[in-house]
Amino acid sequence: MEYETVIGLEVHAQLLTASKIFCGCSATFGAEPNTHSCPVCTGMPGSLPVLNRKAVEFAIKLALATDSHVASFSLFARKNYFYPDLPKGYQISQYELPLSTEGYLEIPVAEGGMKRVGITRIHMEEDAGKLFHDEAKPFSYVDFNRTGVPLLEIVSEPDLSTPEQAADYLRQLRTILQYLEICDGNMEEGSFRCDANVSIRPVGAEKLGTRTEVKNMNSFRHVERALTYEIERQKKVLEGGREVIQETRLWDPAKGVTEAMRGKEEAHDYRYFPDPDLVPLTISLQWVEEIRKGLPELPLQRKGRFVKEYRIPEYDAGVITASKALADYYEECVRLFPEPKQVSNWIMGDLLRLLKEDEKEAESSPLSPKQLAAMLGLIKDGTISGKIAKTIFEEMYKTGKGAKEIVEEQGLVQITDEAAVAQAVAEVLQDHPKEIEEYKNGKAKLFGFFVGQVMKATQGKANPQLVNEILKKKLS
Amino acid sequence: MKVERGEVEHVALLARLKLSEEEKEVFTSQLNAILDYMEKLNALDTGAIEPTFHVVSHCNIMREDEVRGSLPQEASLENAPDRAEGCFRVPKII
């Protein structure tokens, strides 16, 4: 039987506020355990949470950037459950009356064009603490530094139909968060986390199949792999005449499988109720409009501007603006070396390839825009050939050295001296009388062979145009 | 009877309460009495009344995004039944 897949995503994005959502503890990552917590974080008797205005502002920014409706009145609620990372026994979240509803994002689809993916809701909540597990001993350790760090939970409609679309949606959402400068989007460190609800149903069926919730996917690649696995697993279950069980499954990247989660209480009986410690939140139209005015350029706008301002193809602009860091990289490079298409070629080709091999993002590129611009300058003034530049580029990326330094160290300066090139050409021709014969008898293809031989003889340093010219003269 | 004994047991489990057999009986009847009282309120027509989410009428109490400092680690862990390496130590989860 043919099946179709239905995926909905829940994203948790940590906000880049200085302090936590309900208290003045620092929200930064990486401090000594239990040094960023206070009676509010841990729910000590007599403490009272007070909402961080900036966290609300950030939430409104995302709502506006995703064309969502900003609720004029919203509430905080307690989500009750017991787990050691939750010191109060409840998480302050939003349930009824969330801050924002009914937005959407657009993602490119394989068949061409864009697909609109609905955003059901965006709400604010506090993060839980962090647990560490002892491999050898029967203990877990709890650090409450993360408790109370502001989060946005962004819930999509079940509009996604392939793992690739799910990854594209996540990329797009992360890009927007980064453009808004409200979340750093670091999946490895957990400041951008994703859970997926996955189900399959026979093609054309109206009723949704039983879904599973897949967790623990901490990179885009893992999201695609985990979902691909889970869809196949569900197919096998159904084809084996069994039923999919509604459950939470954890992705195990080492084994490449999802496994039913054990241990954690599966009772989804959170007994939400409005938090009596927090008064309702009203958001005035005026506040929303002020924030709207201050919104930065968003990915799609920036893409449009790149096409217009730099006259690069839409495809290039799309690839480059998909990451704020990459787009910033590009603009800095163009500022230093104002040949936009040349810059985009190198970024989209060589830079992205090397970053991908290293599983790195543009923000952690070992090669700076300044280094790239300097190398492009050397090509332009004829110091090096475009071919040699490829080698230099990789060398710069790997060693962090400047292009000039590498050129000098390895003697890669382009040979533009006519006599020297002519000499190399003469030697090549002397060594290949048979090929000359064939060439003269009409095998024009061999011209490329001679060029290749000359380049080889000069270790790629000969100026290619000069080689062409001289060869043509000699062979005619 | 609106609340059955089984529901009392379920709620007690969610709240991590250990109830004796007699307590289960007592709470079942008490909870039913409370719900009966709610029924009385339900008899009123509240269709035209805005729901009250909070007992005080304030809205929007917010603070600026300023770091005010936290408890020192020692103070944070003071009430911990068990601790190690700057963390609360609990029976292994997972």
Side-chain angles (χ1 to χ4, degrees):
Chain A
M1 195 186 293
E2 283 287 302
Y3 292 100
E4 62 184 6
T5 304
V6 178
I7 302 169
L9 296 174
E10 269 175 38
V11 169
H12 286 92
Q14 264 181 12
L15 295 179
L16 288 170
T17 52
S19 65
K20 292 188 178 180
I21 182 167
F22 297 121
C23 67
C25 286
S26 166
T28 50
F29 175 82
E32 283 290 299
N34 294 299
T35 55
H36 286 175
S37 85
C38 74
V40 175
C41 307
T42 49
M44 291 295 185
S47 63
L48 268 183
V50 186
L51 183 59
N52 183 337
R53 185 188 303 274
K54 185 125 228 175
V56 180
E57 191 187 310
F58 284 1
I60 297 172
K61 277 190 176 173
L62 182 65
L64 293 174
T66 54
D67 262 313
S68 300
H69 167 70
V70 179
S72 58
F73 183 88
S74 73
L75 281 182
F76 287 93
R78 291 187 182 180
K79 178 180 180 177
N80 299 282
Y81 66 95
F82 289 108
Y83 208 62
D85 62 7
L86 195 71
K88 297 197 290 288
Y90 60 86
Q91 178 192 25
I92 305 177
S93 180
Q94 294 193 290
Y95 185 58
E96 290 170 285
L97 307 178
L99 182 119
S100 159
T101 51
E102 290 173 71
Y104 67 88
L105 279 187
E106 286 187 316
I107 56 165
V109 280
E111 309 85 71
M114 303 294 270
K115 170 173 179 162
R116 195 175 267 214
V117 182
I119 291 176
T120 316
R121 57 189 277 151
I122 300 172
H123 74 241
M124 307 177 68
E125 62 184 28
E126 58 178 351
D127 208 343
K130 205 163 169 53
L131 284 169
F132 305 92
H133 308 290
D134 198 320
E135 293 300 323
K137 292 181 216 151
F139 295 116
S140 292
Y141 301 85
V142 197
D143 171 11
F144 288 136
N145 285 350
R146 202 177 65 179
T147 307
V149 168
L151 293 180
L152 291 183
E153 179 172 322
I154 303 127
V155 183
S156 87
E157 291 286 310
D159 288 346
L160 300 154
S161 38
T162 63
E164 297 74 40
Q165 285 182 12
D168 281 338
Y169 167 87
L170 291 172
R171 282 194 192 96
Q172 180 70 359
L173 178 58
R174 193 178 77 135
T175 304
I176 291 173
L177 289 163
Q178 289 173 332
Y179 271 70
L180 295 170
E181 295 179 336
I182 62 176
C183 170
D184 67 19
N186 190 324
M187 284 183 95
E188 283 78 21
E189 278 179 14
S191 46
F192 183 85
R193 312 194 279 269
C194 158
D195 303 332
N197 286 306
V198 192
S199 64
I200 59 172
R201 62 181 169 191
V203 171
E206 210 155 294
K207 197 169 157 275
L208 289 171
T210 306
R211 63 164 204 265
T212 59
E213 188 179 8
V214 183
K215 288 177 181 272
N216 196 40
M217 304 169 288
N218 62 1
S219 74
F220 295 123
R221 206 166 57 89
H222 285 317
V223 169
E224 283 192 49
R225 285 181 61 203
L227 295 182
T228 305
Y229 173 86
E230 180 59 16
I231 292 161
E232 282 308 310
R233 188 193 69 84
Q234 292 189 9
K235 274 185 197 161
K236 278 187 199 141
V237 168
L238 293 184
E239 277 161 6
R242 286 164 294 145
E243 279 180 20
V244 173
I245 303 164
Q246 185 170 342
E247 62 188 354
T248 300
R249 300 181 66 86
L250 290 183
W251 168 244
D252 183 330
K255 289 192 212 156
V257 299
T258 63
E259 286 174 321
M261 197 171 161
R262 289 165 298 157
K264 191 165 180 176
E265 174 192 16
E266 265 299 299
H268 282 291
D269 192 347
Y270 293 127
R271 293 147 293 143
Y272 286 96
F273 64 90
D275 192 323
D277 284 347
L278 287 155
V279 295
L281 175 64
T282 61
I283 295 168
S284 67
L285 214 57
Q286 191 196 343
W287 193 15
V288 173
E289 286 315 307
E290 260 169 47
I291 292 171
R292 194 194 299 277
K293 271 181 218 142
L295 281 185
E297 187 182 42
L298 291 168
L300 285 177
Q301 295 167 326
R302 197 171 192 183
K303 180 181 164 189
R305 178 168 65 79
F306 276 21
V307 170
K308 236 173 100 185
E309 194 174 318
Y310 300 126
R311 302 189 179 280
I312 54 174
E314 210 168 303
Y315 176 78
D316 294 28
V319 172
I320 291 169
T321 55
S323 146
K324 179 174 189 290
L326 192 64
D328 290 345
Y329 190 106
Y330 175 77
E331 291 212 275
E332 175 62 10
C333 206
V334 171
R335 191 180 66 78
L336 298 167
F337 184 79
E339 289 187 21
K341 180 58 186 154
Q342 179 82 329
V343 173
S344 84
N345 286 347
W346 280 89
I347 287 182
M348 296 207 312
D350 300 74
L351 182 64
L352 282 185
R353 179 174 55 81
L354 291 174
L355 288 173
K356 202 174 168 194
E357 278 172 19
D358 280 359
E359 289 181 37
K360 274 197 173 124
E361 303 286 336
E363 49 265 51
S364 44
S365 164
L367 182 74
S368 70
K370 207 173 147 190
Q371 281 173 297
L372 175 55
M375 188 198 80
L376 296 175
L378 293 182
I379 300 177
K380 197 179 180 197
D381 68 20
T383 309
I384 55 173
S385 67
K387 191 167 184 297
I388 285 285
K390 298 264 174 197
T391 316
I392 295 174
F393 188 89
E394 289 208 17
E395 192 72 18
M396 288 198 296
Y397 183 94
K398 283 187 190 121
T399 61
K401 287 181 187 167
K404 234 190 178 123
E405 198 185 336
I406 294 169
V407 169
E408 279 161 16
E409 266 178 21
Q410 308 193 3
L412 298 174
V413 177
Q414 178 165 248
I415 305 169
T416 47
D417 175 40
E418 223 178 306
V421 176
Q423 168 80 26
V425 169
E427 277 166 23
V428 164
L429 294 181
Q430 201 177 350
D431 290 347
H432 298 90
K434 210 178 97 208
E435 284 81 0
I436 297 177
E437 197 57 37
E438 286 174 23
Y439 177 79
K440 289 196 168 156
N441 288 335
K443 207 169 173 191
K445 258 199 336 217
L446 277 171
F447 191 78
F449 166 79
F450 293 122
V451 174
Q453 289 300 312
V454 176
M455 293 310 282
K456 201 173 151 196
T458 57
Q459 287 106 49
K461 289 184 287 188
N463 178 308
Q465 275 145 309
L466 207 53
V467 174
N468 273 315
E469 279 169 29
I470 295 172
L471 260 174
K472 257 184 209 148
K473 238 187 274 168
K474 297 266 176 185
L475 287 169
S476 63
Chain B
M1 191 125 74
K2 290 186 191 64
V3 173
E4 306 282 344
R5 196 187 154 91
E7 276 174 281
V8 172
E9 284 171 351
H10 176 62
V11 172
L13 176 74
L14 289 174
R16 299 292 189 273
L17 293 173
K18 218 175 238 166
L19 302 183
S20 68
E21 292 306 307
E22 288 116 69
E23 282 171 322
K24 286 177 195 169
E25 287 301 320
V26 172
F27 291 135
T28 307
S29 84
Q30 285 184 349
L31 282 170
N32 277 310
I34 293 168
L35 289 173
D36 281 342
Y37 180 66
M38 291 297 163
E39 278 302 306
K40 265 189 201 166
L41 294 179
N42 275 345
L44 292 171
D45 178 12
T46 55
I49 296 169
E50 282 279 309
T52 303
F53 295 102
H54 207 279
V55 288
V56 294
S57 56
H58 301 296
C59 273
N60 286 5
I61 298 179
M62 286 185 258
R63 39 175 275 276
E64 294 310 313
D65 182 28
E66 281 157 13
V67 175
R68 285 260 194 89
S70 309
L71 291 176
Q73 191 186 62
E74 188 49 39
S76 286
L77 295 171
E78 212 163 29
N79 294 329
D82 191 12
R83 59 158 118 170
E85 292 167 58
C87 290
F88 293 81
R89 189 162 80 164
V90 298
K92 193 163 189 168
I93 309 298
I94 291 177

